[in-house]
Tab-separated table of all heavy atoms in Angstrom:
chain	number	residue	atom	x	y	z
A	1	ILE	N	153.707	25.255	109.628
A	1	ILE	CA	153.524	24.837	111.021
A	1	ILE	C	153.073	26.016	111.861
A	1	ILE	O	152.148	25.905	112.682
A	1	ILE	CB	154.833	24.223	111.573
A	1	ILE	CG1	155.096	22.871	110.918
A	1	ILE	CG2	154.763	24.064	113.084
A	1	ILE	CD1	156.452	22.273	111.271
A	2	GLU	N	153.706	27.168	111.659
A	2	GLU	CA	153.326	28.351	112.438
A	2	GLU	C	151.907	28.802	112.115
A	2	GLU	O	151.194	29.312	112.976
A	2	GLU	CB	154.315	29.488	112.168
A	2	GLU	CG	154.117	30.681	113.087
A	2	GLU	CD	155.176	31.745	112.918
A	2	GLU	OE1	156.374	31.397	112.779
A	2	GLU	OE2	154.817	32.942	112.925
A	3	SER	N	151.477	28.592	110.873
A	3	SER	CA	150.139	29.043	110.478
A	3	SER	C	149.019	28.222	111.104
A	3	SER	O	147.879	28.688	111.186
A	3	SER	CB	150.005	28.981	108.946
A	3	SER	OG	149.800	27.649	108.493
A	4	ILE	N	149.328	27.004	111.538
A	4	ILE	CA	148.276	26.111	112.028
A	4	ILE	C	147.640	26.628	113.307
A	4	ILE	O	146.419	26.666	113.448
A	4	ILE	CB	148.838	24.680	112.245
A	4	ILE	CG1	149.255	24.073	110.912
A	4	ILE	CG2	147.802	23.791	112.925
A	4	ILE	CD1	150.063	22.787	111.048
A	5	GLN	N	148.469	27.070	114.254
A	5	GLN	CA	147.961	27.465	115.554
A	5	GLN	C	147.504	28.912	115.601
A	5	GLN	O	146.429	29.221	116.087
A	5	GLN	CB	149.036	27.236	116.627
A	5	GLN	CG	149.189	25.798	117.055
A	5	GLN	CD	148.093	25.349	118.015
A	5	GLN	OE1	147.123	26.055	118.252
A	5	GLN	NE2	148.244	24.182	118.575
A	6	ASN	N	148.346	29.818	115.123
A	6	ASN	CA	148.062	31.248	115.281
A	6	ASN	C	148.507	31.948	114.011
A	6	ASN	O	149.632	32.407	113.904
A	6	ASN	CB	148.812	31.811	116.498
A	6	ASN	CG	148.370	33.217	116.846
A	6	ASN	OD1	147.309	33.667	116.443
A	6	ASN	ND2	149.196	33.905	117.593
A	7	ASN	N	147.598	32.042	113.046
A	7	ASN	CA	147.983	32.464	111.709
A	7	ASN	C	148.154	33.972	111.617
A	7	ASN	O	147.193	34.723	111.735
A	7	ASN	CB	146.934	31.994	110.702
A	7	ASN	CG	147.456	32.016	109.282
A	7	ASN	OD1	148.338	32.792	108.949
A	7	ASN	ND2	146.921	31.152	108.449
A	8	GLY	N	149.399	34.399	111.394
A	8	GLY	CA	149.663	35.812	111.202
A	8	GLY	C	150.239	36.131	109.839
A	8	GLY	O	150.799	37.202	109.638
A	9	PHE	N	150.120	35.195	108.886
A	9	PHE	CA	150.662	35.415	107.553
A	9	PHE	C	149.625	36.112	106.671
A	9	PHE	O	149.039	35.541	105.758
A	9	PHE	CB	151.123	34.093	106.938
A	9	PHE	CG	152.257	33.455	107.675
A	9	PHE	CD1	152.064	32.308	108.433
A	9	PHE	CD2	153.527	34.021	107.648
A	9	PHE	CE1	153.109	31.728	109.127
A	9	PHE	CE2	154.587	33.450	108.341
A	9	PHE	CZ	154.375	32.303	109.080
A	10	HIS	N	149.410	37.361	106.987
A	10	HIS	CA	148.424	38.185	106.304
A	10	HIS	C	149.038	38.713	105.008
A	10	HIS	O	150.145	39.250	105.012
A	10	HIS	CB	148.014	39.349	107.213
A	10	HIS	CG	146.850	40.126	106.735
A	10	HIS	ND1	146.988	41.243	105.962
A	10	HIS	CD2	145.520	39.947	106.926
A	10	HIS	CE1	145.787	41.741	105.703
A	10	HIS	NE2	144.883	40.976	106.268
A	11	SER	N	148.347	38.562	103.892
A	11	SER	CA	148.951	38.814	102.600
A	11	SER	C	148.277	39.938	101.828
A	11	SER	O	147.138	40.327	102.103
A	11	SER	CB	148.906	37.546	101.754
A	11	SER	OG	147.560	37.230	101.436
A	12	GLN	N	148.997	40.421	100.848
A	12	GLN	CA	148.489	41.385	99.886
A	12	GLN	C	148.311	40.698	98.539
A	12	GLN	O	149.148	39.890	98.122
A	12	GLN	CB	149.470	42.547	99.727
A	12	GLN	CG	149.569	43.454	100.939
A	12	GLN	CD	148.303	44.266	101.142
A	12	GLN	OE1	147.715	44.771	100.185
A	12	GLN	NE2	147.879	44.377	102.395
A	13	ARG	N	147.231	41.024	97.868
A	13	ARG	CA	146.983	40.458	96.541
A	13	ARG	C	147.895	41.144	95.515
A	13	ARG	O	148.105	42.356	95.566
A	13	ARG	CB	145.523	40.638	96.152
A	13	ARG	CG	145.152	39.974	94.822
A	13	ARG	CD	143.696	40.209	94.492
A	13	ARG	NE	142.827	39.478	95.391
A	13	ARG	CZ	142.448	38.229	95.216
A	13	ARG	NH1	142.875	37.550	94.163
A	13	ARG	NH2	141.635	37.631	96.078
A	14	CYS	N	148.418	40.337	94.596
A	14	CYS	CA	149.288	40.844	93.535
A	14	CYS	C	148.596	40.652	92.185
A	14	CYS	O	147.776	39.748	92.014
A	14	CYS	CB	150.619	40.103	93.522
A	14	CYS	SG	151.461	40.006	95.128
A	15	THR	N	148.980	41.463	91.237
A	15	THR	CA	148.437	41.334	89.886
A	15	THR	C	149.207	40.298	89.084
A	15	THR	O	148.631	39.534	88.304
A	15	THR	CB	148.472	42.685	89.156
A	15	THR	OG1	147.745	43.651	89.924
A	15	THR	CG2	147.841	42.575	87.773
A	16	THR	N	150.540	40.253	89.281
A	16	THR	CA	151.391	39.339	88.521
A	16	THR	C	152.437	38.703	89.426
A	16	THR	O	152.701	39.189	90.530
A	16	THR	CB	152.129	40.091	87.390
A	16	THR	OG1	153.021	41.050	87.979
A	16	THR	CG2	151.142	40.796	86.468
A	17	GLU	N	153.070	37.640	88.924
A	17	GLU	CA	154.181	37.022	89.647
A	17	GLU	C	155.347	37.994	89.791
A	17	GLU	O	156.031	38.015	90.824
A	17	GLU	CB	154.664	35.774	88.902
A	17	GLU	CG	153.701	34.614	88.919
A	17	GLU	CD	154.216	33.444	88.106
A	17	GLU	OE1	155.432	33.154	88.182
A	17	GLU	OE2	153.415	32.836	87.375
A	18	THR	N	155.583	38.797	88.757
A	18	THR	CA	156.673	39.773	88.818
A	18	THR	C	156.450	40.758	89.945
A	18	THR	O	157.379	41.105	90.696
A	18	THR	CB	156.793	40.516	87.478
A	18	THR	OG1	157.076	39.580	86.439
A	18	THR	CG2	157.887	41.570	87.534
A	19	GLN	N	155.220	41.207	90.092
A	19	GLN	CA	154.889	42.117	91.182
A	19	GLN	C	155.151	41.458	92.530
A	19	GLN	O	155.710	42.069	93.449
A	19	GLN	CB	153.415	42.525	91.071
A	19	GLN	CG	153.025	43.727	91.902
A	19	GLN	CD	151.566	44.083	91.719
A	19	GLN	OE1	150.676	43.266	92.020
A	19	GLN	NE2	151.301	45.278	91.214
A	20	ALA	N	154.803	40.188	92.642
A	20	ALA	CA	155.048	39.459	93.886
A	20	ALA	C	156.537	39.310	94.147
A	20	ALA	O	156.996	39.459	95.284
A	20	ALA	CB	154.381	38.082	93.830
A	21	SER	N	157.326	39.018	93.102
A	21	SER	CA	158.758	38.822	93.280
A	21	SER	C	159.450	40.108	93.705
A	21	SER	O	160.490	40.079	94.373
A	21	SER	CB	159.388	38.292	91.988
A	21	SER	OG	159.369	39.267	90.963
A	22	ARG	N	158.882	41.241	93.325
A	22	ARG	CA	159.457	42.532	93.700
A	22	ARG	C	158.890	43.058	95.012
A	22	ARG	O	159.241	44.157	95.432
A	22	ARG	CB	159.211	43.543	92.575
A	22	ARG	CG	159.956	43.208	91.291
A	22	ARG	CD	159.587	44.154	90.167
A	22	ARG	NE	160.344	43.838	88.941
A	22	ARG	CZ	160.113	44.404	87.751
A	22	ARG	NH1	159.161	45.325	87.627
A	22	ARG	NH2	160.837	44.060	86.703
A	23	GLU	N	157.986	42.271	95.613
A	23	GLU	CA	157.351	42.653	96.881
A	23	GLU	C	156.690	44.019	96.775
A	23	GLU	O	156.778	44.860	97.670
A	23	GLU	CB	158.378	42.628	98.020
A	23	GLU	CG	159.048	41.283	98.198
A	23	GLU	CD	159.953	41.230	99.407
A	23	GLU	OE1	159.420	41.263	100.534
A	23	GLU	OE2	161.182	41.174	99.222
A	24	ASN	N	155.997	44.209	95.665
A	24	ASN	CA	155.360	45.493	95.387
A	24	ASN	C	153.898	45.265	95.035
A	24	ASN	O	153.441	45.583	93.938
A	24	ASN	CB	156.101	46.195	94.242
A	24	ASN	CG	155.546	47.579	93.961
A	24	ASN	OD1	155.028	48.241	94.854
A	24	ASN	ND2	155.647	48.015	92.708
A	25	CYS	N	153.167	44.679	95.977
A	25	CYS	CA	151.767	44.348	95.744
A	25	CYS	C	150.871	45.295	96.541
A	25	CYS	O	151.038	45.462	97.742
A	25	CYS	CB	151.486	42.900	96.158
A	25	CYS	SG	152.498	41.698	95.266
A	26	ASN	N	149.925	45.890	95.849
A	26	ASN	CA	149.009	46.826	96.506
A	26	ASN	C	147.595	46.703	95.962
A	26	ASN	O	146.876	47.683	95.863
A	26	ASN	CB	149.508	48.266	96.346
A	26	ASN	CG	149.765	48.632	94.892
A	26	ASN	OD1	149.356	47.906	93.990
A	26	ASN	ND2	150.423	49.760	94.675
A	27	SER	N	147.245	45.474	95.580
A	27	SER	CA	145.928	45.246	94.981
A	27	SER	C	144.897	44.773	95.997
A	27	SER	O	143.942	44.085	95.667
A	27	SER	CB	146.049	44.206	93.853
A	27	SER	OG	146.970	44.635	92.892
A	28	GLY	N	145.097	45.134	97.263
A	28	GLY	CA	144.171	44.708	98.312
A	28	GLY	C	144.707	43.503	99.045
A	28	GLY	O	145.587	42.811	98.561
A	29	GLY	N	144.179	43.238	100.241
A	29	GLY	CA	144.692	42.131	101.039
A	29	GLY	C	143.580	41.399	101.744
A	29	GLY	O	142.509	41.171	101.191
A	30	GLY	N	143.863	41.044	102.981
A	30	GLY	CA	142.844	40.388	103.778
A	30	GLY	C	142.859	38.880	103.718
A	30	GLY	O	141.928	38.250	104.218
A	31	GLN	N	143.903	38.284	103.084
A	31	GLN	CA	143.963	36.834	102.983
A	31	GLN	C	145.095	36.297	103.863
A	31	GLN	O	146.128	36.938	104.031
A	31	GLN	CB	144.204	36.409	101.534
A	31	GLN	CG	143.242	37.042	100.538
A	31	GLN	CD	141.796	36.697	100.795
A	31	GLN	OE1	141.510	35.653	101.371
A	31	GLN	NE2	140.879	37.556	100.375
A	32	TRP	N	144.877	35.098	104.384
A	32	TRP	CA	145.891	34.446	105.229
A	32	TRP	C	146.375	33.174	104.552
A	32	TRP	O	145.562	32.319	104.178
A	32	TRP	CB	145.306	34.093	106.594
A	32	TRP	CG	145.210	35.228	107.552
A	32	TRP	CD1	146.079	35.540	108.562
A	32	TRP	CD2	144.164	36.198	107.626
A	32	TRP	NE1	145.644	36.663	109.243
A	32	TRP	CE2	144.471	37.077	108.695
A	32	TRP	CE3	143.007	36.427	106.878
A	32	TRP	CZ2	143.665	38.161	109.044
A	32	TRP	CZ3	142.192	37.500	107.208
A	32	TRP	CH2	142.531	38.357	108.281
A	33	PHE	N	147.676	33.041	104.434
A	33	PHE	CA	148.213	31.781	103.912
A	33	PHE	C	147.828	30.628	104.840
A	33	PHE	O	147.896	30.738	106.058
A	33	PHE	CB	149.743	31.847	103.812
A	33	PHE	CG	150.387	30.482	103.834
A	33	PHE	CD1	150.221	29.617	102.773
A	33	PHE	CD2	151.103	30.041	104.942
A	33	PHE	CE1	150.767	28.344	102.798
A	33	PHE	CE2	151.668	28.781	104.980
A	33	PHE	CZ	151.493	27.925	103.899
A	34	GLY	N	147.431	29.506	104.244
A	34	GLY	CA	147.189	28.290	105.005
A	34	GLY	C	145.947	28.281	105.853
A	34	GLY	O	145.741	27.344	106.628
A	35	HIS	N	145.070	29.272	105.715
A	35	HIS	CA	143.889	29.282	106.572
A	35	HIS	C	142.813	28.338	106.055
A	35	HIS	O	142.604	28.214	104.843
A	35	HIS	CB	143.312	30.696	106.687
A	35	HIS	CG	142.390	30.847	107.853
A	35	HIS	ND1	141.054	30.549	107.780
A	35	HIS	CD2	142.625	31.214	109.135
A	35	HIS	CE1	140.499	30.742	108.964
A	35	HIS	NE2	141.429	31.155	109.797
A	36	ALA	N	142.129	27.667	106.978
A	36	ALA	CA	141.140	26.654	106.595
A	36	ALA	C	139.991	27.239	105.777
A	36	ALA	O	139.353	26.523	105.001
A	36	ALA	CB	140.592	25.966	107.840
A	37	ASP	N	139.720	28.527	105.925
A	37	ASP	CA	138.618	29.137	105.183
A	37	ASP	C	138.955	29.414	103.726
A	37	ASP	O	138.063	29.710	102.935
A	37	ASP	CB	138.202	30.454	105.844
A	37	ASP	CG	137.412	30.243	107.130
A	37	ASP	OD1	136.952	29.103	107.360
A	37	ASP	OD2	137.259	31.206	107.893
A	38	ASN	N	140.221	29.355	103.355
A	38	ASN	CA	140.591	29.688	101.982
A	38	ASN	C	139.875	28.807	100.964
A	38	ASN	O	139.386	29.283	99.947
A	38	ASN	CB	142.106	29.570	101.793
A	38	ASN	CG	142.872	30.654	102.524
A	38	ASN	OD1	142.295	31.620	102.995
A	38	ASN	ND2	144.183	30.490	102.624
A	39	GLY	N	139.814	27.510	101.246
A	39	GLY	CA	139.125	26.609	100.335
A	39	GLY	C	137.640	26.856	100.296
A	39	GLY	O	137.018	26.854	99.231
A	40	ASN	N	137.051	27.077	101.468
A	40	ASN	CA	135.611	27.334	101.523
A	40	ASN	C	135.242	28.625	100.803
A	40	ASN	O	134.142	28.766	100.269
A	40	ASN	CB	135.149	27.412	102.977
A	40	ASN	CG	135.322	26.093	103.705
A	40	ASN	OD1	135.252	25.024	103.101
A	40	ASN	ND2	135.559	26.159	105.009
A	41	ASN	N	136.184	29.582	100.795
A	41	ASN	CA	135.931	30.878	100.160
A	41	ASN	C	136.391	30.923	98.706
A	41	ASN	O	136.348	31.998	98.085
A	41	ASN	CB	136.637	31.983	100.951
A	41	ASN	CG	136.045	32.166	102.334
A	41	ASN	OD1	134.893	31.839	102.580
A	41	ASN	ND2	136.844	32.683	103.255
A	42	ASN	N	136.832	29.781	98.182
A	42	ASN	CA	137.270	29.703	96.788
A	42	ASN	C	138.305	30.771	96.448
A	42	ASN	O	138.212	31.465	95.426
A	42	ASN	CB	136.069	29.809	95.838
A	42	ASN	CG	135.117	28.646	95.970
A	42	ASN	OD1	135.530	27.497	95.986
A	42	ASN	ND2	133.822	28.941	96.074
A	43	LEU	N	139.302	30.892	97.302
A	43	LEU	CA	140.334	31.896	97.102
A	43	LEU	C	141.079	31.639	95.788
A	43	LEU	O	141.419	30.512	95.467
A	43	LEU	CB	141.321	31.861	98.270
A	43	LEU	CG	142.418	32.921	98.277
A	43	LEU	CD1	141.826	34.320	98.411
A	43	LEU	CD2	143.404	32.654	99.418
A	44	ARG	N	141.322	32.704	95.059
A	44	ARG	CA	142.060	32.620	93.799
A	44	ARG	C	143.018	33.796	93.696
A	44	ARG	O	142.717	34.890	94.155
A	44	ARG	CB	141.093	32.661	92.599
A	44	ARG	CG	140.076	31.527	92.534
A	44	ARG	CD	140.746	30.198	92.254
A	44	ARG	NE	139.789	29.119	92.055
A	44	ARG	CZ	139.285	28.361	93.025
A	44	ARG	NH1	139.639	28.588	94.287
A	44	ARG	NH2	138.444	27.384	92.765
A	45	GLY	N	144.195	33.556	93.097
A	45	GLY	CA	145.078	34.663	92.820
A	45	GLY	C	146.510	34.463	93.282
A	45	GLY	O	146.918	33.378	93.703
A	46	ILE	N	147.270	35.558	93.190
A	46	ILE	CA	148.679	35.604	93.575
A	46	ILE	C	148.810	36.528	94.776
A	46	ILE	O	148.231	37.633	94.784
A	46	ILE	CB	149.537	36.127	92.405
A	46	ILE	CG1	149.386	35.211	91.187
A	46	ILE	CG2	151.004	36.246	92.803
A	46	ILE	CD1	149.990	35.783	89.921
């Protein structure tokens, strides 16, 4: 719901689920959860 109006859920790309679970991702970022462009940009990954 919060992402719909003013999306601030800026994320970091992870290599593995384990890396994500440990909150230790440093493989680049620039993606927003729930953003309408994600589908158009064919976003893939963790």
Side-chain angles (χ1 to χ4, degrees):
I1 290 173
E2 188 174 318
S3 77
I4 295 169
Q5 282 282 9
N6 190 19
N7 198 333
F9 296 108
H10 190 267
S11 67
Q12 291 290 319
R13 185 181 290 274
C14 309
T15 303
T16 64
E17 290 177 41
T18 299
Q19 195 179 61
S21 68
R22 294 175 179 172
E23 302 186 69
N24 184 29
C25 301
N26 54 13
S27 303
Q31 309 299 334
W32 281 262
F33 157 69
H35 198 273
D37 285 345
N38 290 348
N40 296 330
N41 294 335
N42 295 312
L43 184 64
R44 299 292 186 272
I46 300 169

